[in-house]
């Protein structure tokens, strides 16, 4: 059984810990967090600590804290023959400063504590500094998810940027649409089928072929009507994305 | 049985016609299109025509042509006691210029000929100029979809703008992400689980609460790293949407 210590109490650590606690092939021996408050709900299940000097022995130490704390926290670990990984999309493996074997276990998903995630469907991007460590990390990954990928630090950084586009920015467009609906007394739920189809459509059509709408059609009458209905901040988004779409389809507005 | 004539051969007309032909409570008596080529695949199933003077008698005439052709085409119809509807999100009901009873049947979905759509899940936004016509339109709508809504012309226009945000613009962000992946030799499929979860998440959390990522966290280190990796056109999109997100969460960058 793979023994794991998890360091962190944020969204990723929360979901990873919940998942690993239910997993029969992995033993979570301890969870560390600087602030015990955030992990006290685990106290009746496993050992918790806020003292880095009290860390127990494990095969893998998973550092799942905010990006700017990874280097500092890792430098305090002293487990020369163990594997220490972080879970960040945008931090290089070599930013880990422990005297351990290094690796990365990046779950490419959006996590909020309020929402349960089917971890088995979460793609895990894996990296390790040697083959033995990679195989250990892969065993762990395969016990918690059906999709794992070998991705190096450079590739992972670009995946993280791409993830910002398809998640952070997309969600922000949902927010803008919800505001438009609210201000015009129409139920936002009416849009859900369209939202679902938009995300499903690109499983069978590349986004370039899936594109529809006034910007693609160069339908300047509709575009002008839309702009008149929007406040300045939404106009800016509308204009930039409309121009960006029409550039692709070769029709300048 | 409700008798229907469909006018048009574009994406919406194509899917609407396919659906209505399979429907036992509706009889498609004819399909009209200016260019017969686009509807010739229907010739062995029903009457087709490109001559507006040869239109047959029906209860409802559904005009499903490009927005800028609706007024002109409707002005050529002469069925004073029949219902004439269009299927556009951005055109007012009164832009119909037939001497008929007027209405709108707007399917709020993205249609591409290459992809089959489950029409029964497509929300239909309905409007009619009198109650009797509305009830007839509602009967038609309920026979083809489980979700229909009474939406007036003003509301429909704002829904259409909102739809541009959640569909056209979102799909464009998928396109940008795919480009980033291609240029960095990482498979775009790895992002699909994140794309699916992003669209599903807002069924249980409002977009404002579902938001995550560097812009929300005011993580300027990650934002700077991302910007360095992007070409100028993607930088513009990244900066505008990042600023727009951070404005909401009260943290100016």
């Amino acid at each position: 059984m793979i023994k794991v210590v998890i360091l962190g109490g944020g969204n990723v650590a929360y979901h990873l810990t919940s998942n690993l606690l239910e997993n029969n092939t992995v033993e979570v021996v301890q969870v560390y967090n600087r602030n015990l408050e955030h992990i006290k709900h685990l106290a009746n299940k496993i050992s918790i600590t806020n003292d880095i000097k009290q860390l127990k022995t494990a095969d893998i130490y998973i550092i799942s804290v905010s990006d700017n704390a990874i280097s500092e926290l890792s430098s305090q670990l002293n487990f020369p023959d163990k594997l220490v990984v972080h879970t960040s999309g945008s931090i290089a493996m070599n930013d880990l400063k422990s005297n351990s074997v290094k690796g990365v276990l990046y779950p490419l998903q959006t996590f909020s504590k309020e929402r349960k995630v089917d971890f088995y469907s979460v793609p895990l991007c894996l990296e390790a500094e040697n083959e033995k460590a990679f195989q250990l990390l892969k065993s762990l990954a395969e016990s918690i998810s059906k999709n794992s990928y070998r991705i190096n630090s450079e590739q992972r950084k670009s995946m993280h940027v791409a993830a910002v586009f398809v998640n952070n920015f997309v969600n922000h467009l949902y927010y803008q649409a919800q505001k438009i609906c609210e201000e015009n007394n129409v139920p936002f739920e009416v849009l859900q089928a369209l939202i679902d189809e938009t995300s499903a459509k690109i499983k069978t059509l590349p986004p370039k072929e899936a594109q529809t709408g006034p910007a693609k059609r160069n339908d300047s009458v509709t575009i002008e009507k839309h702009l008149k209905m929007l406040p300045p901040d939404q106009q800016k988004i509308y204009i930039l994305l409309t121009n960006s779409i029409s550039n692709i389809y070769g029709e300048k507005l």
Side-chain angles (χ1 to χ4, degrees), chain A:
Chain A
M1 187 138 37
I2 304 172
K3 292 187 176 187
V4 169
V5 167
I6 297 164
L7 299 95
N11 288 345
V12 175
Y14 174 87
H15 285 282
L16 195 58
T17 306
S18 308
N19 185 272
L20 288 178
L21 282 174
E22 290 169 10
N23 191 309
N24 296 326
T25 61
V26 177
E27 184 192 351
V28 182
V29 295
Q30 196 177 33
V31 175
Y32 160 91
N33 200 49
R34 200 173 47 179
N35 182 342
L36 271 186
E37 269 302 301
H38 295 168
I39 53 171
K40 68 175 184 193
H41 63 282
L42 298 168
N44 60 347
K45 292 178 193 157
I46 39 165
S47 160
I48 65 170
T49 182
N50 62 354
D51 182 356
I52 201 81
K53 298 197 183 76
Q54 301 295 317
L55 288 187
K56 298 191 177 186
T57 300
D59 302 305
I60 308 180
Y61 294 80
I62 303 176
I63 299 183
S64 186
V65 299
S66 59
D67 287 359
N68 53 20
I70 292 172
S71 280
E72 219 294 287
L73 181 59
S74 66
S75 72
Q76 299 179 53
L77 300 187
N78 185 22
F79 302 101
D81 53 344
K82 305 297 186 184
L83 177 58
V84 173
V85 303
H86 71 65
T87 61
S88 166
S90 57
I91 298 291
M93 180 173 72
N94 286 324
D95 286 353
L96 287 167
K97 298 301 175 200
S98 54
N99 60 351
S100 323
V101 185
K102 292 165 191 165
V104 179
L105 173 79
Y106 169 48
L108 186 56
Q109 191 48 284
T110 170
F111 298 100
S112 295
K113 281 184 183 159
E114 304 84 350
R115 183 168 161 89
K116 199 168 162 62
V117 164
D118 169 22
F119 222 97
Y120 200 63
S121 301
V122 174
L124 299 178
C125 302
L126 310 181
E127 183 179 9
E129 61 176 326
N130 66 49
E131 192 57 31
K132 190 181 154 207
F134 182 79
Q135 291 305 327
L136 174 63
L137 193 55
K138 199 175 164 206
S139 303
L140 175 71
E142 287 177 349
S143 75
I144 56 180
S145 166
K146 65 177 190 289
N147 297 313
S148 59
Y149 300 86
R150 190 166 200 159
I151 301 277
N152 67 33
S153 288
E154 276 309 303
Q155 288 175 314
R156 194 175 57 256
K157 277 187 207 171
S158 49
M159 298 221 66
H160 190 247
V161 186
V164 166
F165 277 76
V166 302
N167 170 257
N168 303 166
F169 293 166
V170 162
N171 185 72
H172 184 61
L173 294 180
Y174 296 158
Y175 169 81
Q176 296 294 353
Q178 191 196 29
K179 254 184 32 177
I180 295 169
C181 288
E182 265 174 25
E183 279 156 20
N184 294 279
N185 288 315
V186 288
F188 180 59
E189 309 86 84
V190 185
L191 291 171
Q192 190 67 49
L194 178 62
I195 288 169
D196 289 343
E197 170 66 8
T198 306
S199 63
K201 198 176 186 181
I202 55 163
K203 289 177 191 171
T204 58
L205 285 178
K208 192 171 176 181
E209 288 174 38
Q211 190 68 50
T212 56
K216 184 190 177 183
R217 290 195 306 271
N218 197 21
D219 175 354
S220 52
V221 176
T222 302
I223 291 166
E224 281 306 315
K225 273 195 215 172
H226 285 174
L227 286 174
K228 279 189 191 136
M229 299 169 64
L230 296 171
D233 57 329
Q234 290 179 334
Q235 275 183 352
K236 271 191 209 162
I237 296 174
Y238 192 104
I239 291 169
L240 184 69
L241 293 176
T242 290
N243 286 337
S244 185
I245 293 169
S246 53
N247 283 342
I248 295 169
Y249 297 93
E251 290 163 344
K252 280 265 183 195
L253 293 174

